Amino acid sequence: MGILLGLRVDQTGDGDAEGKFLHCPRPRRVQGDEEGAGILRLTGSTPTVDRHLTDRPPRAPAGLGIAPAESSRHGIAVASVERLGKRYGRRQAVDGVSFEVKEREVVGLLGPNGSGKTTILRVITGYLRPSEGTVRIDGFDVVRDGHQARARIGYVPENAPLYGHMRVDEFLHFMGRLRGLRGGALRRGIESARARLALEPVGDAVIGRLSRGYRQRVSIAQAVLNEPKLLVLDEPTNGLDPRQVIELRGLLRTLARDSAVLITSHVLAEMERVADRVAILLDGRLLTVHQLAGAGRGTSLRVRARADRADEVAVALSGLAGIGGVTREEPEGGLAGWRVEVSEAGAAPRVAAALCLAGIASVETVETASDLEELFLRLTASRALQ
Ligand SMILES: Nc1ncnc2c1ncn2[C@@H]1O[C@H](COP(=O)(O)OP(=O)(O)OP(=O)(O)O)[C@@H](O)[C@H]1O
Ligand SMILES: [Mg+2]
């Protein structure tokens, strides 16, 4: 946080009616600004530009000492995905994806068909080996400590196969034994799963004759038998009717009290209702991690710099923590532009200050994107510009 010590907040706004500025003192000569002060605009709608463009920004300090914006609201990370890549032969299905799922948090992986959602879940759950990067579950690496990692995960695959001829209790018993549960632990696991998924009335029912909603609950029950730290569900609402979708939503919120939950969907509205944060994927790449629930909704920063400095800006941005995603915007008045998603509003000043110190001329906060659909469209459209 030492990075902030050199900054002075001018609450008077220096005669600017739109908002306050952060003055970012610079030890070097700044082109067209003998005082050596870059300016960051933290509120307002019009970007301040060229007089603050520097000749040569300092190299972006690694990490910049900024805490990831996502660390504050929930506890420690249950799942940490770092620069994950997965190739199928020559096809790069997942590329450089990083995100975390914290205790008691529901994180949604959102993306169109083929964007890599299922592939990421399969690597996290140990069914596929990553081509690049690492995944840790409760600190255990899914490759090196696969057994430990898997013991902490409950997985509900898409169209989870169920033994249709088995009765519900029989199936849960069978799956519990497969997980290595025995005796009292097995009994307690089954009782708790039956209660949490409200399966008591159908314990003796043959699975194949249950409604789809009940079959879905049986799938989830088998995944929580071992009280997992992380519950992973691939498109769990597929094929459910509206009432069943609503019930499932309630169930997931309840389950999230005991396990962190990672869920995929390509339905935006569904994610808005159930997830705390949503990671948006396109073509195997993460576009942003966006805060949905609670007070800390996402904020974005608009960054402007001279077009010939674009590479340096990109390097500076890639070195910053606390950023959900970066997309290019249409050039404006000869200046290149970026929209930088900040996962929590509170992190915006820190990220803006860091960009300033890295020599980026103009940073402006813009209205919070509260509408996931709008965010998704903007992010996916801006990819076409890159
Ligand atoms: N076993 C495989 N072999 C080769 N390519 C694969 C394999 N599995 C997935 N792919 C490809 O990898 C990409 C990502 O697939 P994935 O199933 O992870 O996407 P998804 O986001 O889950 O899609 P959907 O919404 O359709 O479930 C796709 O282009 C897909 O065709
Ligand atoms: Mg899928």
Side-chain angles (χ1 to χ4, degrees):
M1 233 38 64
I3 189 170
L4 289 176
L5 292 178
L7 297 173
R8 173 168 62 86
V9 179
D10 184 349
Q11 297 284 5
T12 68
D14 260 347
D16 183 285
E18 287 178 3
K20 65 189 180 193
F21 297 91
L22 272 187
H23 291 256
C24 175
R26 245 184 237 128
R28 298 158 300 99
R29 181 186 154 87
V30 176
Q31 191 180 47
D33 184 348
E34 294 301 322
E35 289 169 24
I39 289 183
L40 294 168
R41 175 171 292 182
L42 290 184
T43 59
S45 56
T46 319
T48 43
V49 282
D50 33 28
R51 85 172 244 249
H52 310 292
L53 296 182
T54 58
D55 265 345
R56 174 167 288 279
R59 204 171 296 135
L64 285 163
I66 296 179
E70 56 190 343
S71 64
S72 57
R73 229 171 65 77
H74 290 269
I76 50 167
V78 173
S80 301
V81 177
E82 277 172 42
R83 297 179 197 275
L84 176 64
K86 179 65 193 174
R87 283 187 300 274
Y88 294 111
R90 284 226 197 114
R91 175 166 178 69
Q92 186 88 36
V94 174
D95 190 7
V97 167
S98 304
F99 65 92
E100 288 185 338
V101 188
K102 305 218 163 65
E103 280 177 334
R104 289 184 294 283
E105 186 180 37
V106 180
V107 170
L109 267 183
L110 179 72
N113 292 128
S115 54
K117 304 182 294 293
T118 298
T119 301
I120 292 172
L121 297 196
R122 288 199 178 132
V123 174
I124 289 175
T125 52
Y127 284 83
L128 287 174
R129 283 176 79 94
S131 309
E132 297 106 25
T134 54
V135 176
R136 282 197 191 79
I137 307 299
D138 202 23
F140 293 101
D141 187 292
V142 293
V143 177
R144 278 185 290 118
D145 308 306
H147 186 72
Q148 296 280 12
R150 276 194 300 279
R152 287 160 172 77
I153 293 178
Y155 183 27
V156 185
E158 194 177 9
N159 304 318
L162 291 170
Y163 295 87
H165 63 281
M166 280 191 184
R167 295 178 192 280
V168 171
D169 284 348
E170 194 186 353
F171 173 71
L172 294 180
H173 195 266
F174 172 72
M175 293 304 286
R177 286 187 66 82
L178 272 186
R179 299 259 154 70
L181 296 175
R182 299 285 185 274
L186 178 59
R187 256 195 326 276
R188 280 192 300 279
I190 292 175
E191 263 166 41
S192 147
R194 275 167 28 122
R196 289 158 79 192
L197 278 300
L199 287 172
E200 286 103 336
V202 296
D204 281 335
V206 175
I207 292 173
R209 294 197 200 131
L210 290 173
S211 71
R212 203 178 164 103
Y214 263 119
R215 288 208 301 275
Q216 177 68 275
R217 283 200 233 164
V218 175
S219 298
I220 300 172
Q222 64 77 26
V224 299
L225 283 171
N226 55 339
E227 315 232 313
K229 290 260 184 179
L230 178 71
L231 180 59
V232 177
L233 305 99
D234 200 357
E235 309 264 1
T237 55
N238 262 5
L240 297 185
D241 68 31
R243 176 179 289 277
Q244 291 165 341
V245 170
I246 293 164
E247 279 172 10
L248 180 66
R249 221 180 275 149
L251 272 175
L252 291 178
R253 299 284 354 158
T254 311
L255 292 170
R257 288 184 206 145
D258 300 308
S259 308
V261 176
L262 178 62
I263 177 179
T264 68
S265 178
H266 51 266
V267 183
L268 292 157
E270 194 176 293
M271 280 299 184
E272 286 206 293
R273 291 204 167 102
V274 75
D276 297 302
R277 289 186 303 138
V278 63
I280 300 181
L281 284 172
L282 185 69
D283 297 336
R285 289 174 182 234
L286 191 61
L287 297 182
T288 185
V289 181
H290 187 70
Q291 184 88 36
L292 289 171
R297 293 186 77 96
T299 302
S300 51
L301 301 171
R302 178 170 287 151
V303 177
R304 295 267 174 231
R306 272 181 359 211
D308 61 345
R309 310 292 294 278
D311 288 349
E312 293 160 75
V313 173
V315 169
L317 289 173
S318 68
L320 287 173
I323 286 182
V326 179
T327 53
R328 287 296 287 269
E329 291 195 319
E330 295 274 9
E332 207 177 274
L335 294 172
W338 293 261
R339 186 73 90 89
V340 180
E341 307 297 333
V342 183
S343 6
E344 284 185 16
R350 286 178 284 142
V351 172
L355 291 175
C356 173
L357 288 176
I360 293 163
S362 154
V363 182
E364 177 201 11
T365 53
V366 289
E367 281 297 298
T368 297
S370 58
D371 178 349
L372 189 55
E373 199 163 82
E374 184 273 333
L375 177 70
F376 186 75
L377 289 175
R378 178 158 54 77
L379 289 173
T380 49
S382 92
R383 279 296 292 260
L385 292 171
Q386 293 178 4

